[in-house]
Amino acid sequence: MTSSDLPDHLRGTAELVARAYPHGIPAADYLPLLSLLAEHMSQSNLALLADMWNDHAGSGYNDVLRVLSDPAPSSAVRDRLDAAGFAQWVEQP
């Protein structure tokens, strides 16, 4: 899946993450990123994005369930998202 295949309501999230990670999401930040976004998104929507961001197509939902059962917080990931406009994203309907 590519960002052009995403439903319209997920494009803002994909754009936020692309601004925060213009060269791709490092493996070390992937689960902490999902954990942070999971606080603000449905599991199914986050799983669609996770499928786009990871190297194992179709495993996004399992990754979402993993971070819901064992959150992986990271202040470095939060700082990157904050710099990319996270506060504004959270405020969007």
Side-chain angles (χ1 to χ4, degrees):
M1 174 179 287
T2 65
S3 60
S4 62
D5 297 329
L6 287 174
D8 289 341
H9 68 279
L10 294 179
R11 288 203 177 119
T13 306
E15 291 166 2
L16 167 73
V17 173
R19 284 191 306 272
Y21 294 96
H23 302 292
I25 303 165
D29 286 5
Y30 173 70
L31 291 177
L33 173 64
L34 294 185
S35 183
L36 182 61
L37 293 176
E39 297 174 19
H40 305 281
M41 299 182 68
S42 73
Q43 294 174 12
S44 58
N45 283 335
L46 186 54
L48 285 172
L49 291 167
D51 279 338
M52 184 178 72
W53 295 328
N54 70 33
D55 294 331
H56 305 95
S59 67
Y61 193 71
N62 288 335
D63 293 341
V64 171
L65 293 177
R66 182 174 168 193
V67 299
L68 291 175
S69 66
D70 185 20
S74 168
S75 60
V77 170
R78 177 62 188 253
D79 291 346
R80 285 185 83 125
L81 288 180
D82 283 342
F86 184 69
Q88 294 84 3
W89 175 83
V90 169
E91 296 298 321
Q92 292 178 356

